[in-house]
Amino acid sequence: MLFKSYASPEILVPVVVLSVIIMCFIIFYIWRRIRLNGHKKSQLEALTSKPSTSHMYTGVKASHTIEFIVPTVTLKCSEPSFSVTEESDSDCLQLANNYDHNGMRKRNSRIQINENEISKSLYEEVPQLPQQSPEISFVLHYSFVRQQLLVTLLSAKNLYLKRSHLNPFAKVVLLPEKNPKLLTKVKKNTTNPVFNELFIFQAQRNTLDDRVLKITVYSSDSFSRKNVIGRVVFPLKTADIDSNISRDVMTEDITCLLRESKPFGELLLSLNYETNSSTLTLGALKVRHIFDKEIQTIYMKVVLFVKRKRIKSRKTSLHRVETEINFDDMFHVNVAKETLNDLIISISVYGKSNTYVNKHILGRTHVGQLCPSAQGIQHWTEMCLHYNETISQWHIFS
């Protein structure tokens, strides 16, 4: 034998059987894939509608004629008659003029509406509902044995601020002590937050006559500092919690209006016009009621406008924030008496602190005959009535 088999029959038989089984599986898999593809194709053809031969467009030979059908418009006369008269003919002509060549009715631009035929009650303006005032609700409970005041802050409603979204939270303080300052959780995107949080303050019974509960509602903003929505100052006496109590006192739900709490500061200005030298003197004397505790130093910026055109500006030196800050800075301008009414002076107060990257404006006021501030116009008018005299007046920040 030229070739010698090294495999025994016991090994060849299983190999052949395994090869046959694998081939069967491959053939079965190919057959199944072909069958599935055919099934999907038949389903797709069943869902897709075929265009019928009656809707197929065929070409037009040159020898064939195309028949055009002109639409007709049937006109109805006001008085149908078989005989044509001048009156009926004019009615039909007038009615025919109301349609265009496509049979569509034309708009009549000569239609007139009588004002007496309009019901004015249908066009009355709907009165706008007044904006509801913001409110906050809470419950007070004084424990006579423990000498503690328990404040349950319930909810607030009708909160508003000049922002698209409100994230309100509240701060509760029992005055005259300013500590502890207890805060609620922040409620996201709501104008009617529900807090339901309990705060406990130590309050001696003999000091209840002088204790005042202060609740301030803020709006949290992650990109800037907190914004004040309103505050409530509630003396405990008004809830019958005073030094004469001899047992525990628990009130019902107390609802108070939130007062707008902008920390308005005040600025003392003086005006003097010397007719001999034609000199206008503005004195920036004092600033008080700066409530922002983060402000460490402040300064003022004075800008002169002539006919609403900026001419010059000056800044004062920095002063540390105190209860009343004395500036005593004077600004002199040479101006003719005839042009006094063209002047507007803007005085802005800025603050600086370590937390602010840039300067922070605290308030602004104006003086002048044409200024946007009523107190500035009144101060300027009084100066013009008393030339050569120094007129001083407190201005509230705007």
Side-chain angles (χ1 to χ4, degrees):
M1 294 180 62
L2 296 177
F3 300 99
K4 186 177 180 180
S5 176
Y6 294 96
S8 61
E10 292 82 5
I11 299 175
L12 289 175
V13 173
V15 171
V16 173
V17 173
L18 182 61
S19 302
V20 171
I21 294 174
I22 293 174
M23 290 298 296
C24 292
F25 273 110
I26 293 174
I27 295 171
F28 175 76
Y29 177 77
I30 295 173
W31 171 80
R32 187 174 180 180
R33 293 296 301 175
I34 294 173
R35 184 181 177 185
L36 288 177
N37 291 336
H39 183 64
K40 290 181 180 179
K41 186 176 180 181
S42 61
Q43 286 183 342
L44 183 61
E45 291 178 353
L47 295 175
T48 306
S49 59
K50 297 180 180 180
S52 60
T53 56
S54 60
H55 293 172
M56 297 296 291
Y57 295 96
T58 57
V60 181
K61 297 182 179 180
S63 59
H64 293 177
T65 58
I66 302 176
E67 189 174 328
F68 293 94
I69 301 175
V70 180
T72 58
V73 179
T74 305
L75 302 179
K76 296 181 179 180
C77 302
S78 59
E79 294 182 1
S81 176
F82 293 101
S83 61
V84 179
T85 58
E86 294 181 359
E87 184 178 358
S88 62
D89 190 24
S90 61
D91 291 340
C92 292
L93 182 60
Q94 182 179 1
L95 185 59
N97 291 332
N98 294 334
Y99 293 86
D100 56 8
H101 62 279
N102 293 326
M104 302 298 294
R105 187 177 180 87
K106 296 180 180 180
R107 290 185 178 180
N108 190 358
S109 60
R110 298 182 180 179
I111 297 177
Q112 296 181 357
I113 301 176
N114 190 2
E115 296 180 358
N116 298 327
E117 296 179 357
I118 299 177
S119 179
K120 296 183 179 180
S121 61
L122 298 176
Y123 300 94
E124 291 181 354
E125 295 183 359
V126 179
Q128 296 182 355
L129 296 176
Q131 191 172 23
Q132 297 180 353
S133 301
E135 299 177 351
I136 191 166
S137 300
F138 55 92
V139 176
L140 301 180
H141 178 207
Y142 184 76
S143 176
F144 181 78
V145 177
R146 298 182 179 181
Q147 296 192 10
Q148 292 178 343
L149 179 67
L150 287 75
V151 181
T152 304
L153 195 60
L154 301 177
S155 62
K157 62 180 182 179
N158 304 327
L159 303 181
Y160 61 89
L161 198 64
K162 294 181 179 179
R163 292 177 177 269
S164 56
H165 299 288
L166 283 183
N167 302 321
F169 69 96
K171 181 178 72 175
V172 185
V173 182
L174 188 61
L175 301 177
E177 285 80 8
K178 296 184 179 180
N179 289 312
K181 299 176 181 179
L182 305 180
L183 303 177
T184 66
K185 296 180 180 179
V186 178
K187 305 299 179 180
K188 297 290 185 179
N189 296 332
T190 178
T191 58
N192 300 302
V194 178
F195 298 106
N196 286 333
E197 298 189 33
L198 176 64
F199 305 100
I200 301 176
F201 298 93
Q202 292 294 332
Q204 300 295 328
R205 185 171 60 87
N206 55 359
T207 62
L208 292 178
D209 292 337
D210 301 327
R211 307 305 291 268
V212 177
L213 182 67
K214 180 182 177 182
I215 303 174
T216 308
V217 181
Y218 299 90
S219 178
S220 176
D221 190 350
S222 57
F223 297 101
S224 63
R225 60 177 187 163
K226 57 189 178 183
N227 301 280
V228 180
I229 299 176
R231 66 178 57 169
V232 171
V233 178
F234 185 81
L236 298 184
K237 278 186 175 182
T238 59
D240 296 332
I241 303 177
D242 50 24
S243 301
N244 298 324
I245 61 175
S246 57
R247 56 183 177 81
D248 288 2
V249 177
M250 186 172 183
T251 65
E252 297 180 354
D253 294 357
I254 301 174
T255 302
C256 298
L257 295 178
L258 287 173
R259 304 296 181 184
E260 189 177 4
S261 56
K262 289 184 179 179
F264 290 115
E266 290 183 303
L267 172 64
L268 181 61
L269 298 177
S270 66
L271 290 175
N272 181 18
Y273 183 75
E274 293 289 341
T275 55
N276 296 329
S277 59
S278 298
T279 303
L280 174 66
T281 303
L282 171 69
L285 305 180
K286 296 180 180 181
V287 175
R288 65 185 182 186
H289 297 166
I290 301 299
F291 296 99
D292 197 334
K293 297 181 181 180
E294 297 182 358
I295 299 298
Q296 298 177 354
T297 56
I298 66 172
Y299 68 94
M300 280 188 283
K301 182 179 180 180
V302 180
V303 182
L304 176 65
F305 296 88
V306 177
K307 292 184 178 181
R308 303 188 181 276
K309 183 179 180 181
R310 180 171 176 167
I311 303 300
K312 61 173 65 175
S313 63
R314 277 189 56 189
K315 294 181 181 179
T316 66
S317 58
L318 285 172
H319 290 71
R320 295 193 62 84
V321 175
E322 299 175 358
T323 305
E324 190 172 276
I325 305 103
N326 295 320
F327 280 88
D328 295 329
D329 290 336
M330 298 294 174
F331 303 92
H332 306 280
V333 179
N334 292 324
V335 58
K337 185 177 179 181
E338 294 77 13
T339 59
L340 276 178
N341 292 335
D342 298 333
L343 268 63
I344 296 177
I345 304 177
S346 172
I347 305 97
S348 304
V349 180
Y350 293 90
K352 288 187 176 182
S353 69
N354 296 329
T355 58
Y356 299 140
V357 178
N358 299 322
K359 60 184 179 182
H360 176 65
I361 185 168
L362 300 176
R364 180 183 288 114
T365 188
H366 301 81
V367 290
Q369 190 64 35
L370 302 176
C371 73
S373 173
Q375 56 186 357
I377 296 175
Q378 187 268 337
H379 194 182
W380 191 268
T381 304
E382 189 174 355
M383 179 204 68
C384 294
L385 294 176
H386 303 86
Y387 290 126
N388 302 320
E389 295 183 11
T390 301
I391 308 298
S392 300
Q393 180 179 321
W394 285 98
H395 291 250
I396 300 176
F397 291 165
S398 60

